[in-house]
């Protein structure tokens, strides 16, 4: 009886190991989306590649990242003449530091707008998001980022304030040091092709 139990146990273990091995093999050998990288300063057209949903992609628009500057939020407000009373969400504290991403959008053939808030600026360990208070104050977005809309043939430059996407009150965590020493990628799409713009940040603090 004990021998039969032992044989059965060995069989179960072998089956389990086989299943796990198969899962690992499939994960390792499965086809992953190809990755494409573009440099800053290049005009890139949005394609049918998308972030989360095929409807996300603003086909008919182009994007060109001109520059990226790390600064305090106070410096950002002073640079673009934003007053405290201009903030659409005064009850929320503004992030201490932002990366001022100078982005040129062009509408070459679209009837729709583009929502910059869905495009993440990837750092080494996290994804930076647009600081809604600052963007809303600068571009008159009253409550939330509702996006931008350009006429066909129109080109406009925006200064998107990207901030650390997390609590700044973590003990021993230095937001400035983190933002200064990270490498960055601006995410254009994730499926079926991963497309990124490599971003070099200049420290202007």
């Amino acid at each position: 009886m004990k021998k039969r139990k032992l044989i059965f146990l060995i069989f179960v273990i072998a089956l389990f190991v086989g299943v796990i091995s198969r899962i690992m093999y499939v994960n390792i050998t499965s086809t992953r989306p190809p990755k494409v990288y573009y440099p800053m300063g290049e005009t890139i057209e949005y394609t049918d590649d998308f972030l989360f949903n095929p409807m996300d992609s603003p086909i008919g628009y182009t994007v060109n990242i001109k520059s990226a500057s790390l600064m305090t939020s106070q410096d950002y407000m002073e640079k673009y003449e934003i007053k405290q009373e201009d903030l659409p969400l005064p009850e929320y504290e503004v992030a201490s530091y932002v990366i001022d991403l100078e982005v040129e959008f062009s509408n070459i053939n679209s009837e729709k707008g583009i929502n910059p808030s869905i495009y993440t600026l990837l750092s080494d360990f996290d994804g930076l998001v647009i600081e809604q208070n600052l963007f809303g104050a600068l571009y008159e977005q009253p409550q939330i980022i509702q996006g931008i809309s350009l006429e066909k043939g129109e080109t406009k430059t925006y200064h998107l304030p990207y901030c650390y996407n997390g609590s700044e009150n973590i003990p021993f965590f230095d937001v400035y040091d983190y933002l200064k020493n990270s490498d960055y990628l601006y995410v254009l799409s994730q499926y079926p092709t991963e497309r990124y713009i490599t971003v070099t940040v200049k420290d202007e603090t």
Side-chain angles (χ1 to χ4, degrees), residues 94-165:
V94 175
S96 57
Y97 292 90
V98 295
I99 292 176
D100 177 11
L101 205 66
E102 182 185 4
V103 183
E104 181 185 87
F105 290 110
S106 296
N107 182 346
I108 56 175
N109 186 29
S110 177
E111 301 291 341
K112 301 178 181 179
I114 181 172
N115 186 353
S117 67
I118 69 173
Y119 296 98
T120 306
L121 184 62
L122 287 182
S123 61
D124 288 338
F125 303 104
D126 202 356
L128 277 63
V129 297
I130 289 179
E131 219 296 342
Q132 294 192 19
N133 247 336
L134 297 179
F135 184 86
L138 186 57
Y139 297 108
E140 299 182 358
Q141 307 282 312
Q143 292 298 325
I144 60 173
I145 297 176
Q146 300 169 342
I148 58 178
S149 183
L150 301 177
E151 299 292 332
K152 283 186 180 180
E154 184 180 6
T155 296
K156 187 173 180 180
T157 298
Y158 290 82
H159 289 270
L160 308 180
Y162 277 87
C163 66
Y164 169 66
N165 184 24

Side-chain angles (χ1 to χ4, degrees), residues 24 26 32 45 48 50 56 71 76 78 86 126 128 132 158 162 164-167 182 201:
M24 292 176 63
V26 170
R32 296 178 179 175
E45 187 172 347
D48 54 2
F50 59 93
D56 291 339
M71 62 184 66
Y76 183 92
E78 291 177 2
D86 297 330
D126 202 356
L128 277 63
Q132 294 192 19
Y158 290 82
Y162 277 87
Y164 169 66
N165 184 24
S167 173
S182 288
V201 175

Side-chain angles (χ1 to χ4, degrees), residues 42-58:
E42 182 176 326
T43 298
I44 302 152
E45 187 172 347
Y46 285 97
T47 65
D48 54 2
D49 294 300
F50 59 93
L51 284 174
F52 312 110
N53 186 297
M55 297 298 292
D56 291 339
S57 183

Side-chain angles (χ1 to χ4, degrees), residues 15-16 61 101 123 159 179 189 197-198:
L15 182 63
F16 177 76
Y61 276 82
L101 205 66
S123 61
H159 289 270
L179 295 178
S189 65
I197 300 174
T198 56

Side-chain angles (χ1 to χ4, degrees), residues 2-15:
K2 289 184 178 179
K3 187 175 182 180
R4 291 178 62 186
K5 287 184 177 179
L6 180 60
I7 293 174
F8 178 74
L9 180 61
I10 293 173
F11 173 77
V12 170
I13 292 173
L15 182 63

